[in-house]
Amino acid sequence: MNIIDIINKTKNRIPLAKEEISYLTDGFTSGSIPDYQVSAWLMAVCLCGLTDSETAALTAAMRDSGETLSLDGIGSDETADKH
């Protein structure tokens, strides 16, 4: 798996697997995929779009890419995060 293949798949409107999206976000946050390559992928996304499943996988991968805050201690049955 490599970033060039991921960029090309998005440019050709071939849906990415969840693992490919995780590879992309993990590589960007670790620094192994440079920002200019992620920018190229984002341009392909801008021009060609993402499927609903790709969008969900990207959202989950971004959520899981850093620290998360537990809101369990708030003491309410309904808790929401504006993000």
Side-chain angles (χ1 to χ4, degrees):
M1 188 175 322
N2 67 66
I3 186 62
I4 302 300
D5 291 340
I6 291 172
I7 294 167
N8 286 328
K9 282 180 80 170
T10 301
K11 282 173 32 179
N12 293 313
R13 292 182 166 89
I14 300 169
L16 299 176
K18 181 180 175 182
E19 295 77 21
E20 291 169 313
I21 292 173
S22 292
Y23 169 82
L24 176 74
T25 56
D26 292 345
F28 181 66
T29 57
S30 73
S32 64
I33 297 177
D35 59 353
Y36 66 88
Q37 288 182 317
V38 174
S39 294
W41 179 73
L42 289 171
M43 177 63 76
V45 169
C46 233
L47 295 172
C48 301
L50 294 175
T51 65
D52 289 345
S53 61
E54 287 174 304
T55 301
L58 179 59
T59 302
M62 290 172 64
R63 177 199 64 205
D64 297 340
S65 69
E67 293 181 36
T68 57
L69 176 65
S70 172
L71 301 177
D72 292 338
I74 291 178
S76 173
D77 290 338
E78 296 180 21
T79 304
D81 179 5
K82 68 177 184 156
H83 300 94

